[in-house]
Amino acid sequence: MNAPIEQYIEFATNHYLLVFALVCVIFLLIQDLIANSFNKYENISPLIAVTKMNSDNVVVLDVREQHEFTKSHIENALNIPLGKVEEQLPALEKHKKHPLIVTCQTGARSTAACKTLTKAGFEQVYNMIGGMQSWEDNKLPIKLGKIKD
């Protein structure tokens, strides 16, 4: 049975907040799909990151601030705070062809770093979803102490 258009209009006018919420959710979903389709990097979980670390010549880039990195980090990770990623691109040049897993505390800063790296021509960039928070929630190994040069 097809409801007449008048019933849809009546529903929309009686429940305008629900209709508005639905339109917002649809808009956000479409926006997210479009944004993800243009990303040149891939989002991966911490468990997939471990698999990549075990099988490839992977470089882990931690874009948290130094004091956050010192508390806990992935072993052998490079620490370049997000604000310095662009100026440190020449130092990362030797890793341009290697898989590069980028992490931060929650995954927000690493997304920005991934965009910068892919724009600079890095070919295999992976954003670790959830960052170190997710890494530690999955009980994966961390290293405490000083920074690797």
Side-chain angles (χ1 to χ4, degrees):
M1 274 196 216
N2 292 335
I5 193 82
E6 293 85 25
Q7 286 181 331
Y8 291 124
I9 294 171
E10 182 183 353
F11 178 84
T13 55
N14 289 336
H15 304 286
Y16 60 91
L17 287 177
L18 286 175
V19 172
F20 178 71
L22 176 65
V23 168
C24 288
V25 168
I26 290 171
F27 172 76
L28 292 173
L29 285 172
I30 291 171
Q31 181 184 16
D32 188 50
L33 285 171
I34 291 170
N36 286 337
S37 67
F38 290 110
N39 284 343
K40 294 181 181 173
Y41 61 89
E42 187 178 332
N43 291 309
I44 60 172
S45 71
L47 298 175
I48 300 294
V50 169
T51 304
K52 286 200 169 297
M53 286 180 218
N54 290 334
S55 63
D56 289 331
N57 189 11
V58 172
V59 176
V60 177
L61 176 63
D62 192 322
V63 295
R64 296 178 296 162
E65 295 298 319
Q66 185 174 348
H67 68 276
E68 295 173 286
F69 182 82
T70 303
K71 284 183 188 175
S72 69
H73 59 271
I74 298 170
E75 191 164 359
N76 297 323
L78 301 174
N79 178 232
I80 301 175
L82 177 60
K84 296 182 180 179
V85 168
E86 209 160 327
E87 71 185 54
Q88 292 294 323
L89 286 173
L92 291 170
E93 192 72 26
K94 62 186 173 194
H95 303 297
K96 212 167 197 172
K97 304 260 186 223
H98 298 137
L100 190 61
I101 297 174
V102 185
T103 188
C104 62
Q105 188 60 35
T106 61
R109 289 178 277 182
S110 59
T111 299
C114 286
K115 289 178 182 176
T116 300
L117 292 165
T118 55
K119 196 180 283 187
F122 286 79
E123 297 174 4
Q124 300 177 59
V125 179
Y126 300 94
N127 179 35
M128 191 167 72
I129 300 168
M132 286 303 293
Q133 196 169 48
S134 182
W135 180 272
E136 291 176 13
D137 288 347
N138 282 289
K139 308 281 190 251
L140 295 167
I142 57 170
K143 182 150 176 95
L144 305 173
K146 57 187 206 174
I147 301 168
K148 181 185 180 214
D149 295 323

